[in-house]
Amino acid sequence: MDLYGRRQEQAALDRMLDGARQGDGATLVLWGDPGIGKTALLEYVAESAAADFTVLRCGGTRLESGLTFAALHELLWPVTERISTLPEPQANALNGALGTSNDMADRFLIGVAVLTLVGELARERPVLIVADDAQWLDEPSAQCLAFVARRLRNEPVVMLLTGHDDPVDGPWEKLAALEIGELGDEDARLLARAVAPQADESVIRRTIRAAAGNPLALQELTTSVAADDISAHPLADERIAVGPRLRRAFRARIERMSPPARTALLLAAADDRSARSTMYQAGLVLGLDAVAWDEALHSGLLTKRSDGRIRFRHQLMEAVVYEEAPPANRQAVHHALASVLTGENADELRPWHLAAASEAVGRLDDEVARLLEESAHRSWARGACATAARALRRAAKLSSSMDDAARRLAHGARAAWEAGHVDVARRMLEQAEGVSSASTVADLSEGLRGLIEFAHGNLETACRQLTRDMERVAEPGQAFTLGSMALRAAWAAGRDALQREALQRLERRLPRGGFPNADLLPLLRQWWTEEPGGGADDGARIAAPGAHLLARLSGSSWLLMPPSPLAVAWGIESALQEALRREIDMLRHTDQVTALTQALAQTVALDIAQGSWASATANALEGLQVAEGTGDDHLAAQCSAGLGWLAAAQGDERTVADVAARFDEVWVPRGVRVFSGCAEWNLGMSALFTGRAEEALDRLIRLSEHGHHAAHPTVAVLAAPDTAEVALQAGQRATAEAQARLLRRWAERTQAAWAISAMHLVHALLASRGDAEKQFRLALDVPGAASRPFNHARTRLLYGEWLRRAGRRIDARTQLAEAAEIFRRLDAAPLLARARAEQELTGQHLRRDAAPARDTILTAQELRVARLAAQGLTNREIGAQLLISPRTVGHHLANVFPKLGIVSRADLARIDFGDGLHLIG
């Protein structure tokens, strides 16, 4: 293909195809002005790949942007027979999305199904996926393709998308992008000459100036100018934006056509999804004959596709035809199309055409609004929340009743929120409140304004809004959920007074039972009555809930589960972990991907406490990957906080700083003190472990500093042993004594083994020589204290240091050796180095090869693959769970076997994944 001025772009695309031929995947977004040549580049790539690639294509259109999974339907239509070969949950989800079954699934599972299908195709030959005019793709299809695009690096798959704008945000953000710029004057001249070889030089010159390097403008304007009187054509002398000029050019061409031919063009602009036969039937309703269609088809504006559809050669042409048509004509065309629609998509398309017909003339229509609302609920059930939101917003505009409009806007706002369109949801809520009361809208939207504030705003504001809406909603179960979220918001914000107020108002709102989970209200009161370190008013201890209650909570709603830092503070990580693992085992055999990810994210802090750091890293990275794909900021932050803590313990100061900087940017303005506190704790711990006492104390003291943005009671009590140790290093004994009091109150309140042990440890650090050893021994001997190996090893390290300074070198070696072994197993490099330095000071000579070689440690993804393979899952089943291809699973296992010193999958069943990755028996 001859593409003037696109040699660099063609070379880049050729390299992507060659990379896929060698097994490497790539994704690229081509963006630029309408008509700039993006589609021509796609045609070049498709032609280049035709011989040895499987080519899948789709394109966005204005009408189909409101249809659920329309683009995905077009993309996968040539390979639909392969869907039946997918794992059953994926096949069901994808068939439901494409409308070939009544199965329902969330959008995430649909993305997994498409990823698996593409991976299977790529095993046979490379795959090229092309999506033109991505800005017009329906939202569910766009999200699905974005999901797939981010996971193609290790597959022989090339995905190319085109759009008008730089993909700095939206579904294509963070994908590689290439701006297609304007042609230089020389290339523009060559193209203009090729299009109109007989044109006068003055026409060529003025066309180049007006087109501003836009290839489509050069083609269209050169033809128009050559055919018309140059003095009459609205070409400007200066270089200007192409859009208005192209519109004038297209309008001039349209106006030269006969009225019937213009109607045929308008039909094509109103519906470019239907087959040519449907278009012709609608034309018959409007009185069009073959002559009108011939004129329209020979106008140069339309093209016939191989599947029989009639489409405009460019989206801009379609927009001009539609927008320039009189309203009555648009109404007539949409009515005609609605009257002849048949087939699988007729029920979905018809309400949109009827709505467009009413909107064209500014008429309200309650029957059409009802049809749109029904269509919205069908889309919602299929996971297409954005489509549902658009349909409900349109239905509200057509409603004559303010009550109906408010209901549709409120429900539409909820759908937009679930689709991740926060700004749209806010605007729809405001519109709903403009036609109804705030209380009514809160009830209809199920407290959406508070939920939005909780996820994207200020947590103190969120707590007050959620509490207020809890009192407005009619359904007690929903009130219970909103009240629970209000309490969680107050806890995350570190506002204990606000937390007490929210609990009191929840108890007044729900004085009696009679709703789902009503019997959990006392347990909720138990969790949220007091904050850590505050001390109960009556001095009474509140017992931690048992495993059976935690299992009950895990089966109800994650919103009712205790936040994992609070569970760790109460010392019930084992019970909560047991409940979560049962849930995870169950979810592994279902298609509930989101619920599985939430459960995995909850385990991160619990795994850290119990010394299962490899599992914590794997789950955090998996949760972070999913959270970034779905836009769940809170889940991503929860995983990042765990990764930051691990980085501090393992000496990765760069990661600690990066996580803290991100938290400071995102969460401080939103008043989320639990995340700010975690960031300061991680920074302080990192400084402590590398010997920077003053810096560490400056960080850690903020956790208890009244009014500081990082002050949070739960984080403060968890970090109290660190704060006390570094305070003594910095010569601040009073601060260390305050931490001892904090730990004593919490230990007395909860009887948590870790807190009792930590209390004795701090007392040992503060004690005189005679009493210190007794406190060290008490700290080590607390029943259950050893279940937190990192904490236990730190106690041994400090005890060993004390013994060495006391001149008891032999006793010191015992404590230091045990501490060093745990630090070695956990890869806690800074404290391992400190323990070894102390061992050498006792006169002990160490072998420097005692630590495991770095190349024997599994990566997080290798660990996930190995654990699933050890459970007997096939490569395909592992790939389906981890969102990678079977080929990539095989690649990871090929790395795992030599690292673990095994030769087969059977050996994986003998690996202890919780304690150093060693063989059992």
Side-chain angles (χ1 to χ4, degrees):
M1 298 176 65
D2 290 328
L3 296 178
Y4 295 96
R6 299 302 184 205
R7 288 176 292 277
Q8 292 184 353
E9 291 86 348
Q10 288 173 284
L13 295 170
D14 287 340
R15 287 193 295 270
M16 293 177 67
L17 293 181
D18 289 339
R21 293 181 178 107
Q22 300 300 317
D24 296 324
T27 301
L28 185 65
V29 180
L30 306 175
W31 68 278
D33 293 334
I36 204 67
K38 304 181 296 293
T39 301
L41 285 168
L42 293 187
E43 294 297 335
Y44 166 80
V45 176
E47 183 177 303
S48 301
D52 56 344
F53 278 66
T54 296
V55 181
L56 302 176
R57 306 184 64 166
C58 67
T61 66
R62 178 179 50 78
L63 180 64
E64 289 192 22
S65 66
L67 291 177
T68 305
F69 292 114
L72 191 65
H73 187 281
E74 180 183 11
L75 182 78
L76 299 182
W77 188 250
V79 293
T80 49
E81 73 281 355
R82 302 290 294 267
I83 295 176
S84 61
T85 67
L86 299 176
E88 185 176 353
Q90 297 181 21
N92 292 340
L94 193 50
N95 281 323
L98 299 181
T100 56
S101 77
N102 293 323
D103 292 282
M104 294 183 294
D106 61 32
R107 290 169 293 170
F108 198 81
L109 187 61
I110 294 166
V112 175
V114 175
L115 182 65
T116 304
L117 178 59
V118 171
E120 295 287 352
L121 292 171
R123 295 175 64 184
E124 302 167 7
R125 59 193 309 205
V127 176
L128 172 64
I129 298 173
V130 172
D132 201 6
D133 285 319
Q135 74 278 358
W136 289 108
L137 294 178
D138 62 281
E139 183 66 21
S141 293
Q143 291 186 351
C144 179
L145 289 179
F147 176 91
V148 173
R150 291 182 170 87
R151 292 161 175 82
L152 294 178
R153 181 173 300 175
N154 296 319
E155 300 290 341
V157 180
V158 172
M159 180 183 291
L160 299 175
L161 309 108
T162 68
H164 291 166
D165 301 314
D166 186 353
V168 293
D169 53 22
W172 319 118
E173 65 179 324
K174 298 184 181 178
L175 296 182
L178 176 63
E179 181 180 9
I180 309 302
E182 63 187 42
L183 298 179
D185 284 352
E186 186 55 35
D187 289 315
R189 181 178 300 279
L190 291 172
L191 176 56
R193 275 293 176 198
V195 173
Q198 306 303 319
D200 184 82
E201 181 60 25
S202 63
V203 171
I204 296 295
R205 187 169 56 251
R206 296 178 70 179
T207 298
I208 291 172
R209 284 200 302 269
N214 185 289
L216 179 61
L218 286 163
Q219 294 177 61
E220 300 301 332
L221 290 174
T222 301
T223 304
S224 300
V225 171
D228 295 337
D229 179 2
I230 187 66
S231 61
H233 203 277
L235 289 175
D237 291 331
E238 69 277 11
R239 296 175 66 86
I240 57 173
V242 173
R245 302 301 178 182
L246 275 176
R247 288 178 180 271
R248 290 196 185 104
F250 294 147
R251 185 166 60 238
R253 294 181 65 175
I254 296 166
E255 289 173 348
R256 290 197 300 269
M257 300 175 66
S258 67
R262 292 203 296 270
T263 301
L265 288 177
L266 181 56
L267 267 172
D271 184 6
D272 53 11
R273 177 174 175 79
S274 298
R276 184 167 52 181
S277 59
T278 301
M279 202 80 66
Y280 285 167
Q281 290 175 24
L284 290 174
V285 173
L286 296 167
L288 300 184
D289 56 18
V291 174
W293 282 109
D294 285 343
E295 183 182 352
L297 290 170
H298 287 90
S299 67
L301 300 177
L302 299 178
T303 183
K304 293 180 183 178
R305 288 177 34 153
S306 58
D307 59 6
R309 297 179 187 175
I310 298 172
R311 296 191 68 170
F312 279 84
R313 288 197 298 108
H314 193 276
Q315 194 79 37
L316 184 59
M317 303 174 186
E318 177 184 318
V320 172
V321 167
Y322 190 83
E323 292 167 11
E324 294 295 324
N329 291 12
R330 294 204 298 270
Q331 180 190 38
V333 161
H334 283 294
H335 272 307
L337 285 164
S339 69
V340 300
L341 282 172
T342 59
E344 60 180 283
N345 294 313
D347 289 340
E348 295 299 321
L349 278 169
R350 189 173 290 109
W352 291 88
H353 278 301
L354 293 174
S358 297
E359 289 172 347
V361 294
R363 181 169 62 86
L364 301 180
D365 194 319
D366 289 318
E367 176 59 19
V368 173
R370 182 187 65 80
L371 293 173
L372 274 174
E373 187 172 15
E374 292 176 355
S375 173
H377 288 306
R378 288 193 297 269
S379 296
W380 206 335
R382 290 168 58 187
C385 299
T387 302
R390 280 194 291 269
L392 287 164
R393 182 171 52 193
R394 209 161 181 180
K397 289 174 62 177
L398 295 170
S399 303
S400 62
S401 165
M402 293 296 100
D403 290 342
D404 288 341
R407 182 187 72 253
R408 288 159 179 161
L409 285 167
H411 291 171
R414 185 79 188 207
W417 154 252
E418 293 188 12
H421 296 173
V422 182
D423 291 338
V424 174
R426 285 195 180 106
R427 287 197 297 270
M428 293 182 75
L429 279 179
E430 290 169 0
Q431 292 170 356
E433 289 168 352
V435 296
S436 187
S437 67
S439 296
T440 299
V441 174
D443 192 21
L444 290 170
S445 68
E446 298 179 332
L448 178 59
R449 189 170 290 283
L451 300 181
I452 292 175
E453 191 68 28
F454 178 86
H456 298 276
N458 179 277
L459 282 185
E460 185 171 355
T461 304
C463 179
R464 298 192 184 283
Q465 181 69 51
L466 287 163
T467 306
R468 185 161 52 247
D469 287 347
M470 169 194 72
E471 296 169 341
R472 290 170 168 171
V473 298
E475 206 277 308
Q478 185 60 35
F480 187 46
T481 299
L482 293 178
S484 301
M485 291 195 69
L487 288 165
R488 182 178 285 259
W491 171 83
R495 309 287 186 178
D496 51 352
L498 190 64
Q499 189 172 308
R500 288 193 296 272
E501 178 189 349
L503 180 59
Q504 292 168 1
R505 292 174 68 173
L506 174 61
E507 291 174 329
R508 288 198 299 269
R509 170 66 178 83
L510 299 171
R512 296 181 300 277
F515 61 91
N517 297 319
D519 59 323
L520 295 177
L521 185 57
L523 181 59
L524 199 68
R525 182 185 305 112
Q526 182 174 324
W527 276 115
W528 302 111
T529 297
E530 289 290 338
E531 285 292 338
D537 292 339
D538 58 2
R541 172 183 168 239
I542 299 179
H548 69 288
L549 285 176
L550 290 170
R552 167 77 183 285
L553 283 172
S554 69
S556 302
S557 169
W558 72 272
L559 294 173
L560 301 179
M561 295 283 284
S564 53
L566 188 57
V568 171
W570 275 22
I572 58 170
E573 63 274 5
S574 296
L576 182 57
Q577 189 74 287
E578 181 183 349
L580 287 172
R581 281 180 177 155
R582 281 198 300 269
E583 183 178 9
I584 289 169
D585 289 342
M586 180 271 294
L587 291 170
R588 287 284 189 197
H589 298 89
T590 72
D591 57 4
Q592 299 178 60
V593 178
T594 302
L596 174 61
T597 306
Q598 290 170 339
L600 286 170
Q602 277 286 87
T603 68
V604 173
L606 311 178
D607 278 334
I608 288 174
Q610 297 173 95
S612 299
W613 289 10
S615 294
T617 301
N619 290 341
L621 289 174
E622 185 177 358
L624 186 61
Q625 177 189 31
V626 176
E628 290 176 344
T630 58
D632 191 325
D633 289 345
H634 275 269
L635 182 58
Q638 186 177 344
C639 296
S640 294
L643 292 171
W645 192 98
L646 289 168
Q650 295 178 330
D652 182 0
E653 293 192 78
R654 175 64 180 272
T655 295
V656 175
D658 288 347
V659 171
R662 175 64 176 162
F663 278 21
D664 188 62
E665 174 188 353
V666 175
W667 299 111
V668 171
R670 290 164 60 175
V672 188
R673 290 189 177 183
V674 68
F675 291 150
S676 302
C678 285
E680 293 295 335
W681 183 18
N682 295 343
L683 287 166
M685 193 166 59
S686 182
L688 166 63
F689 293 162
T690 51
R692 306 191 305 274
E694 294 291 343
E695 177 186 340
L697 182 60
D698 182 59
R699 296 286 185 184
L700 294 173
I701 202 67
R702 298 172 183 177
L703 303 177
S704 303
E705 183 180 328
H706 180 71
H708 195 277
H709 65 75
H712 192 277
T714 303
V715 181
V717 77
L718 290 170
D722 302 328
T723 309
E725 180 183 349
V726 77
L728 288 172
Q729 290 181 14
Q732 301 290 330
R733 183 178 179 86
T735 300
E737 290 173 343
Q739 300 303 306
R741 291 191 294 272
L742 173 63
L743 283 167
R744 185 177 65 253
R745 289 196 301 270
W746 186 240
E748 291 172 350
R749 174 179 168 76
T750 66
Q751 295 299 300
W754 80 269
I756 297 172
S757 178
M759 176 189 68
H760 288 304
L761 172 62
V762 174
H763 285 164
L765 297 177
L766 288 165
S768 61
R769 181 164 183 161
D771 193 44
E773 183 166 16
K774 174 185 175 183
Q775 293 296 328
F776 276 124
R777 295 307 314 176
L778 287 171
L780 289 172
D781 294 340
V782 172
S787 65
R788 295 193 180 184
F790 183 67
N791 292 2
H792 207 58
R794 289 185 65 187
T795 301
R796 289 192 181 278
L797 172 61
L798 291 166
Y799 185 24
E801 290 174 338
W802 182 88
L803 288 168
R804 197 266 304 165
R805 290 193 298 271
R808 296 165 56 184
R809 294 186 175 185
I810 302 301
D811 292 338
R813 288 175 186 173
T814 301
Q815 299 300 328
L816 294 170
E818 294 189 21
E821 173 56 26
I822 294 175
F823 294 144
R824 184 202 64 80
R825 178 174 66 81
L826 296 175
D827 193 27
L831 290 186
L832 176 59
R834 178 172 157 184
R836 285 177 170 168
E838 285 289 328
Q839 286 178 290
E840 290 180 342
L841 289 173
T842 67
Q844 187 175 4
H845 298 289
L846 303 175
R847 291 178 56 188
R848 285 297 175 185
D849 59 350
R854 272 288 180 185
D855 60 4
T856 66
I857 299 173
L858 302 186
T859 68
Q861 188 75 315
E862 288 169 350
L863 177 62
R864 288 194 289 265
V865 168
R867 291 175 68 178
L868 293 174
Q871 297 173 22
L873 275 67
T874 66
N875 285 13
R876 193 176 184 196
E877 291 169 335
I878 295 170
Q881 288 198 17
L882 298 184
L883 318 178
I884 57 178
S885 71
R887 180 170 170 267
T888 303
V889 173
H891 171 76
H892 285 308
L893 287 175
N895 292 330
V896 166
F897 289 170
K899 285 185 177 183
L900 296 183
I902 60 178
V903 296
S904 70
R905 297 172 78 101
D907 291 334
L908 285 172
R910 299 169 52 215
I911 295 292
D912 182 355
F913 288 96
D915 187 16
L917 298 175
H918 64 264
L919 283 167
I920 303 172

